[in-house]
Amino acid sequence: MTSLLPSSSAASVLDLAPVVPVVVVSDAADAIPLARALVAGGLPAIEVTLRTPGALDAIRAIAGEVPEAVVGAGTVLTPEQAGACVVAGARFLVSPGWTDTLLEAMRGSGVPFLPGVSTTSEVVALLERGVREMKFFPAQAAGGTAYLRSLAGPLPQARFCPTGGIGPQTAPEYLSLPNVGCVGGSWMVPADAVAAGDWARIEELARGAAGLRNASGTCR
């Protein structure tokens, strides 16, 4: 598997940075400066969620103008969305859950993907299908670190990006777990900072998030 970034040996989205910003872009014009601020702060993997009409335009803009970013698409719910996101330039796909139809579309997309799980049975079903990297969602509501810790013993081959209700105070505990590669969160992209174009504040928050791997006490 080739590296996702020329300057990094990481072949997995889970290994690019301790935090993947989960971004809702209402105005595609904000996408480029927002991505540049996140990358400057040390967070190259950016998940743009498909929750706004301008999401595909935002992915397209980041892919075309911020080559040092690894832009992905989140809230992917259908095979059609998966295909459209890759055409727009998405380099990874994330879904809140999965079906066999959606899983096959993501597998056939040619880019890495993180299907969402919240139960042990879903994890086992994905392992049975050869998928070992997953999104754990909604992380806090589904059992948090205690749940993920309990999965590490019987299912050590599964690796997760927990997302949902995670902030800078709780992220280090997640990152200390052996089966967690990174976490997803939106605290470094507060809506008021995006609306004000306060890219310096976002860069500062991103830099703090990028340092959370050390705060977790792990060396992964």
Side-chain angles (χ1 to χ4, degrees):
M1 186 179 295
T2 59
S3 171
L4 283 166
L5 273 179
S7 60
S8 168
S9 60
S12 167
V13 177
L14 272 61
D15 297 323
L16 284 171
V19 180
V20 175
V22 179
V23 177
V24 179
V25 181
S26 298
D27 186 346
D30 293 329
I32 293 172
L34 175 60
R36 286 175 175 159
L38 291 170
V39 170
L43 301 180
I46 302 169
E47 177 187 332
V48 177
T49 66
L50 301 183
R51 301 180 192 176
T52 64
L56 284 177
D57 287 336
I59 291 170
R60 192 174 293 110
I62 296 171
E65 300 295 333
V66 193
E68 60 271 39
V70 179
V71 63
T75 323
V76 176
L77 302 177
T78 68
E80 293 75 19
Q81 286 179 330
C85 289
V86 172
V87 170
R91 295 171 64 186
F92 64 94
L93 303 173
V94 183
S95 66
W98 64 277
T99 64
D100 279 321
T101 300
L102 179 58
L103 185 67
E104 287 312 304
M106 291 194 294
R107 194 195 300 272
S109 70
V111 301
F113 56 94
L114 299 173
V117 297
S118 60
T119 69
T120 305
S121 293
E122 291 173 314
V123 176
V124 171
L126 284 178
L127 291 173
E128 186 179 78
R129 290 159 172 78
V131 178
R132 296 190 173 191
E133 296 188 344
M134 311 166 195
K135 171 179 178 173
F136 180 60
F137 177 83
Q140 288 288 89
T145 54
Y147 194 94
L148 285 172
R149 188 178 293 110
S150 72
L151 293 181
L155 303 171
Q157 63 272 54
R159 295 182 72 213
F160 301 94
C161 173
T163 305
I166 299 174
Q169 291 78 30
T170 54
E173 185 178 358
Y174 280 96
L175 292 168
S176 70
L177 299 177
N179 54 353
V180 170
C182 64
V183 300
S186 58
W187 72 86
M188 74 298 300
V189 285
D192 60 336
V194 176
D198 192 349
W199 313 123
R201 179 183 170 200
I202 289 173
E203 180 180 340
E204 180 181 0
L205 290 169
R207 188 168 288 109
L212 289 177
R213 175 73 74 206
N214 293 332
S216 72
T218 72
C219 58
R220 268 193 332 273

